[in-house]
Amino acid sequence: MDLLIWPEWPLALGALFPVAIALVATALVGEAGGRFGIPRVSGYALAGLVLGPLLLGWFDANDLAGHRLIIDFTIALVLFELGIRFDLRWLTANRWIVATSVGEMALTFALTFGALWAVGTGTGIALAVAAIAVGTSPVILMHVTNELRASGQTTDRLLALCALNVAVSVILLKLLVGALHGVHSGWQLALLHPLYLLLGSVLAGAVIAAAYLGLRKLVDPASEQGLAAMIALLLAAIALLTALRLPTALAPLVAGALIKWRDPRPHLWPQQFGSIGGVLVIVIFMLAGAAVSAGELFAGAGLGILAIVARAAGKFGGAIAFGPPSGLDLRKSLALGVGLLPLSVLALLLAEDVRLLYPDFGARLLPIVMAMTVVLGLLGPIATRRALIRVRETRRGDLP
């Protein structure tokens, strides 16, 4: 009985201790990168890869699945903020921005699909990778622009195009999943399921927006009470979307855009949200490395690099072709194309969701997307940072 009052030896630290050490290590790697002019988010991504099964094996795919709520909440938070900064009126005032978005997305999709189809990956896999390639990482772009305190023509267009890319990428992939439903379960389900996902996400976004506007009348969004209300609203939204089997990435973005449409004035963002969001970004990159294994990474490396090259050609081609008519000079158009390159956690989650529905198809898709996100999650933020500095849209006084 006396032994129960003394600590065991060796100490039984439980699962929390290695998580704490990993979190500190990830934060320190990001901070070290920041001191050498590398975006902190690239450091977080690197630390996640080192801590995952690729090297140290502290985390594995089970950890990613077990902490899916944290990842979904973080992405919902980022997309909600991105939506609130996305003014739909701006698109009607400058139609060339819409043309730029449509042009670069169409070119990216066509070139990525064509490149993969040409080397024999199969139509389904080529379409799925192309749909994911259309997207741009909202987590990376929001983190880099906030870190640099960037603002200006290029930054505004970059965030607007990122919002549109995310929405279209999710919709395209869901349409493909609908086609897979048609192959396996009949064409009625193939038609109804994508329609349900799209309309359900829009309606859910409208409900979230209405709830936010209602809460804002009761509590100050910048207060502690406002922070608690916002966290509760997003958690409830994720719970509802999960129960309805709707994509958790689309509705928060729609909600933010509807709020901005309803009230175009600048919205006060709780200061504490910045700190909480920053910590959560560290956590999701730490966990994202758990999805990357050496076998799958090397299996998808060749096709992943091919997809990266084709995707980059599409992003650059669309930005250069349509940037100048929308009011950007050639240098800023190039910077816009560079800024659209990052791809990270959301792309991995989209591929993982497909794998859960169709394991055989997903097992062929995931390694390609994994290779793309490893490269573009590490190098994409660095390229975006340099591009925004070159066009002088940063407000950091310590930058060259």
Side-chain angles (χ1 to χ4, degrees):
M1 180 65 69
D2 291 342
L3 294 177
L4 297 178
I5 65 174
W6 300 108
E8 297 179 12
W9 190 262
L11 294 175
L13 296 173
L16 190 59
F17 187 76
V19 171
I21 297 298
L23 183 58
V24 171
T26 305
L28 290 177
V29 172
E31 181 60 27
R35 296 189 179 188
F36 287 96
I38 298 173
R40 289 174 175 81
V41 72
S42 288
Y44 304 153
L46 176 61
L49 292 174
V50 172
L51 294 168
L54 190 62
L55 288 175
L56 297 182
W58 283 23
F59 301 102
D60 56 27
N62 292 327
D63 293 296
L64 184 67
H67 295 87
R68 182 63 186 263
L69 176 60
I70 297 174
I71 298 172
D72 285 341
F73 175 77
T74 305
I75 292 175
L77 175 62
V78 170
L79 289 173
F80 187 71
E81 182 182 359
L82 178 62
I84 284 182
R85 296 175 64 171
F86 178 47
D87 193 349
L88 292 169
R89 293 178 179 83
W90 189 35
L91 302 184
T92 61
N94 190 340
R95 302 291 177 85
W96 279 107
I97 296 176
V98 179
T100 304
S101 178
V102 172
E104 66 91 1
M105 284 192 289
L107 197 56
T108 298
F109 185 90
L111 291 178
T112 305
F113 169 77
L116 293 177
W117 182 81
V119 297
T121 59
T123 302
I125 294 296
L127 285 172
V129 175
I132 292 173
V134 165
T136 298
S137 172
V139 177
I140 289 178
L141 284 196
M142 291 293 286
H143 197 278
V144 171
T145 54
N146 288 339
E147 190 176 90
L148 295 175
R149 297 199 289 273
S151 64
Q153 280 185 315
T154 308
T155 303
D156 291 343
R157 283 166 171 77
L158 184 57
L159 294 176
L161 264 59
C162 177
L164 294 171
N165 286 356
V166 169
V168 172
S169 177
V170 172
I171 291 170
L172 286 175
L173 193 62
K174 297 306 179 184
L175 288 174
L176 175 64
V177 171
L180 292 175
H181 286 325
V183 173
H184 294 279
S185 305
W187 289 106
Q188 287 182 332
L189 182 61
L191 293 173
L192 291 176
H193 187 248
L195 186 63
Y196 166 73
L197 295 177
L198 180 59
L199 294 180
S201 295
V202 172
L203 289 174
V207 171
I208 297 170
Y212 173 85
L213 293 172
L215 286 171
R216 198 175 63 172
K217 296 177 181 178
L218 301 175
V219 293
D220 180 4
S223 67
E224 293 180 356
Q225 295 79 13
L227 173 66
M230 278 293 303
I231 291 175
L233 174 61
L234 288 177
L235 287 174
I238 291 171
L240 178 63
L241 293 169
T242 302
L244 294 173
R245 299 194 176 181
L246 293 172
T248 56
L250 197 53
L253 179 64
V254 171
L258 290 175
I259 291 166
K260 185 68 173 179
W261 176 267
R262 176 68 175 81
D263 183 2
R265 296 174 299 174
H267 290 262
L268 292 175
W269 200 247
Q271 185 176 1
Q272 303 95 321
F273 245 177
S275 300
I276 293 173
V279 173
L280 289 174
V281 166
I282 297 173
V283 171
I284 68 168
F285 276 98
M286 180 184 77
L287 293 173
V292 181
S293 65
E296 288 183 310
L297 179 60
F298 292 132
L303 293 175
I305 292 172
L306 177 62
I308 288 171
V309 173
R311 178 177 180 270
K315 298 295 183 186
F316 279 116
I320 293 171
F322 295 96
S326 72
L328 296 181
D329 58 29
L330 182 59
R331 184 178 64 168
K332 290 186 176 181
S333 297
L334 283 169
L336 180 63
V338 172
L340 292 170
L341 292 179
L343 205 64
S344 64
V345 182
L346 180 57
L348 266 179
L349 293 182
L350 291 174
E352 177 65 16
D353 287 344
V354 173
R355 188 189 66 80
L356 292 175
L357 284 173
Y358 299 102
D360 292 339
F361 183 86
R364 296 164 55 206
L365 171 66
L366 193 58
I368 303 173
V369 177
M370 185 183 295
M372 294 173 68
T373 56
V374 166
V375 174
L376 296 175
L378 288 171
L379 302 182
I382 299 173
T384 299
R385 183 182 190 275
R386 295 305 306 169
L388 292 175
I389 292 173
R390 287 292 298 272
V391 296
R392 300 181 179 180
E393 293 197 0
T394 64
R395 294 184 181 180
R396 285 275 303 275
D398 57 339
L399 295 174

